Amino acid sequence: MTALEPRDTGVADPSDQPGRSRPREASAPAPAAADEATGTVLGRAYRSLSVGIVSVVLLIAFEATAVGTAMPVAARELHGLSLYAFAFSGFFTTSLFGMVLAGQWSDRRGPLGALTAGIGAFAAGLLLAGTAATMWVFIAGRAVQGFGGGLVIVALYIVVGRAYPERLRPAIMAAFAAAWVVPSIVGPLASGAVTEHLGWRWVFIGIPVLVVFPLAMALPQIRRRASGPVGEGTDEEAEQSFDPRRIRLALGISFGAGLLQYAAQDLRWISLIPGAAGAALLVPAVRGLLPRGTYRAARGLPSVVLLRGVAAGSFIAAESFVPLMLVTQRGLSPTLAGFSLAAGGGTWALGSWVQSRPRVAPFRERLMTFGMVLVAAAIATAPSVLIHSVPVWTVAAAWGFGCFGMGLVISSTSVLLLRLSAPEEAGTNSAALQISDALSNVLLLAVGGAAFAALGGGTVARTTAAATGSTAHPAAFAAVFLPMAGVALVGVWVATRVRGETR
């Protein structure tokens, strides 16, 4: 059975809605049940839920694309250019704890609480970053935002796993990817215009008010379809699904990643102490939170989790430096620098749509391998614009192909994870997938940021939109992009090992 084939042809399978424990009668299905069994993600049964949760993803996407454009200006104005990578990795560091907490919370009581708390924290972090007077306060705001983002992303995966039958999951994952299209085009342009005319702070402060509509749309449907613990257990059994050990490991992985990131940015001998402490916390926590065999790429679920980290970490670590490279090395305005990545949203959605087609399901492993080849090629091509004879549109073209590859890979890992997970393990495994994603971002941003700072990246000319740019320190950017391309090539091999025994 492939990931895109329905598991039933009659009424919905109880495993599709594990939070409901009442037995079905043998009578003919009611119209509503029949609609759920045969409908689409925008059919009557799922329309409100689909629109609501896709709207949440839309806002997250707009924030991500907008912040990427405003970040170089914010870092320069707050005199924190040397901490530029930390502003990104701080988000991912705290999101690690949020992801584990959300997995436990969702398995214990359903995803509703984790989702609402996550959106609240996400909005609070935006407000803190938007009002920051120093770079460290700005990073703190990004950290609060990351904690909320970690809660939200895992909770959304649990909603998909519980509320939608298996045949509709690839379609809703494709809808998540499609929700990035408009923000990827409008976000950089709008963010650049706001940054240049009103100031970068409004990019952060203006978003939180927009969360009201998706909450009003989605929460009633989530409460009806996906609330409560999995199965028919008692409240006492539901309490036992909350594992204090995993929460302690989550704290360990968050603090460990944060210490490693700090050590990588400080670049002094004394920083070896927090670096060693971070590694001591991180290694056992990772071993306890990810599936056994992840780091030896065991076939099936472990390789799916590993591939997610390799793909996301290498691509996002490289992408974080694209606007800064174009602003400081080629003299582009923040608007144009951000807009150079705009086509990627459309091609990412296209890749996700391709993987959702039933005809390609037998070739999913090959598609993921091809996707990683495109990702590696895009990252390796980006620093070619450090040569001034290379046109700047080369980055936009390369990133379009890379994002198509990411659409093939990221959506496929999400689909495969839900296929390979029992209902009672969906929260834990979804958290593991997101932990792999975020931890790889943190570690690779730490490595890239350290190389960038060591080669003088933190002292690049502080150009403005009107300046001609600077050719200083191009090696600092090459030291970020080329190793990330090598990591993506490792992902080509990992993608060949994702085929495993399905449930």
Side-chain angles (χ1 to χ4, degrees), residues 310-353:
V310 170
S314 60
F315 193 76
I316 299 302
E319 186 177 63
S320 299
F321 284 86
V322 169
L324 186 65
M325 179 175 65
L326 294 178
V327 168
T328 60
Q329 302 299 302
R330 297 301 296 264
L332 269 66
S333 69
T335 302
L336 290 178
F339 201 66
S340 67
L341 305 178
T347 57
W348 190 310
L350 178 61
S352 186
W353 178 84

Side-chain angles (χ1 to χ4, degrees), residues 101 105 111-124 144 147-149 151-152 215:
L101 181 61
W105 195 344
L112 182 62
L115 182 62
T116 53
I119 290 177
F122 192 81
V144 174
F147 173 71
L151 290 173
V152 169
L215 281 177

Side-chain angles (χ1 to χ4, degrees), residues 227-277:
S227 61
V230 175
E232 304 181 21
T234 64
D235 291 340
E236 182 178 352
E237 290 170 339
E239 291 287 336
Q240 292 174 354
S241 70
F242 181 80
D243 186 355
R245 175 179 171 272
R246 292 187 67 83
I247 300 302
R248 290 195 297 271
L249 291 175
L251 289 171
I253 201 172
S254 297
F255 280 113
L259 288 171
L260 281 176
Q261 176 65 21
Y262 176 80
Q265 290 294 301
D266 197 29
L267 295 181
R268 294 183 298 170
W269 285 108
I270 193 66
S271 297
L272 291 174
I273 297 175

Side-chain angles (χ1 to χ4, degrees), residues 158-488:
I158 306 307
V159 169
V160 171
R162 291 195 182 192
Y164 293 88
E166 185 173 338
R167 63 185 178 81
L168 293 182
R169 291 173 192 165
I172 196 65
M173 292 298 180
F176 283 176
W180 284 77
V181 175
V182 173
S184 67
I185 297 173
V186 177
L189 183 61
S191 176
V194 169
T195 299
E196 292 178 22
H197 297 290
L198 297 178
W200 62 267
R201 297 181 185 276
W202 288 102
V203 174
F204 294 85
I205 296 174
I207 295 177
V209 70
L210 301 177
V211 303
V212 177
F213 172 74
L215 281 177
M217 289 286 292
L219 292 186
Q221 288 293 315
I222 294 173
R223 184 178 293 110
R224 184 171 74 88
R225 294 176 176 276
S227 61
V230 175
E232 304 181 21
T234 64
D235 291 340
E236 182 178 352
E237 290 170 339
E239 291 287 336
Q240 292 174 354
S241 70
F242 181 80
D243 186 355
R245 175 179 171 272
R246 292 187 67 83
I247 300 302
R248 290 195 297 271
L249 291 175
L251 289 171
I253 201 172
S254 297
F255 280 113
L259 288 171
L260 281 176
Q261 176 65 21
Y262 176 80
Q265 290 294 301
D266 197 29
L267 295 181
R268 294 183 298 170
W269 285 108
I270 193 66
S271 297
L272 291 174
I273 297 175
L281 288 170
L282 194 64
V283 172
V286 169
R287 289 175 61 88
L289 290 171
L290 298 186
R292 186 182 301 274
T294 296
Y295 286 103
R296 57 182 174 84
R299 287 194 175 274
L301 182 64
S303 285
V304 171
V305 172
L306 178 60
L307 180 61
R308 179 60 165 261
V310 170
S314 60
F315 193 76
I316 299 302
E319 186 177 63
S320 299
F321 284 86
V322 169
L324 186 65
M325 179 175 65
L326 294 178
V327 168
T328 60
Q329 302 299 302
R330 297 301 296 264
L332 269 66
S333 69
T335 302
L336 290 178
F339 201 66
S340 67
L341 305 178
T347 57
W348 190 310
L350 178 61
S352 186
W353 178 84
V354 168
Q355 68 79 36
S356 73
R357 300 299 89 194
R359 292 182 180 180
V360 307
F363 311 105
R364 187 176 296 279
E365 180 182 324
R366 295 180 185 177
L367 282 177
M368 297 171 77
T369 303
F370 175 63
M372 287 309 304
V373 171
L374 292 178
V375 170
I379 297 173
T381 301
S384 66
V385 299
L386 294 169
I387 304 171
H388 279 238
S389 60
V390 176
V392 292
W393 56 258
T394 302
V395 171
W399 228 247
F401 283 103
C403 285
F404 179 79
M406 288 293 286
L408 293 174
V409 174
I410 298 300
S411 294
S412 290
T413 57
S414 302
V415 171
L416 288 175
L417 178 109
L418 292 175
R419 288 182 63 198
L420 295 167
S421 299
E424 65 274 10
E425 299 171 346
T428 297
N429 288 343
S430 294
L433 187 75
Q434 299 302 326
I435 288 169
S436 178
D437 187 319
L439 181 62
S440 181
N441 278 311
V442 170
L443 296 181
L444 292 180
L445 274 168
V447 172
F452 182 75
L455 292 176
T459 59
V460 295
R462 296 178 180 180
T463 60
T464 64
T468 59
S470 172
T471 57
H473 311 296
F477 290 97
V480 174
F481 287 98
L482 297 182
M484 297 309 150
V487 173

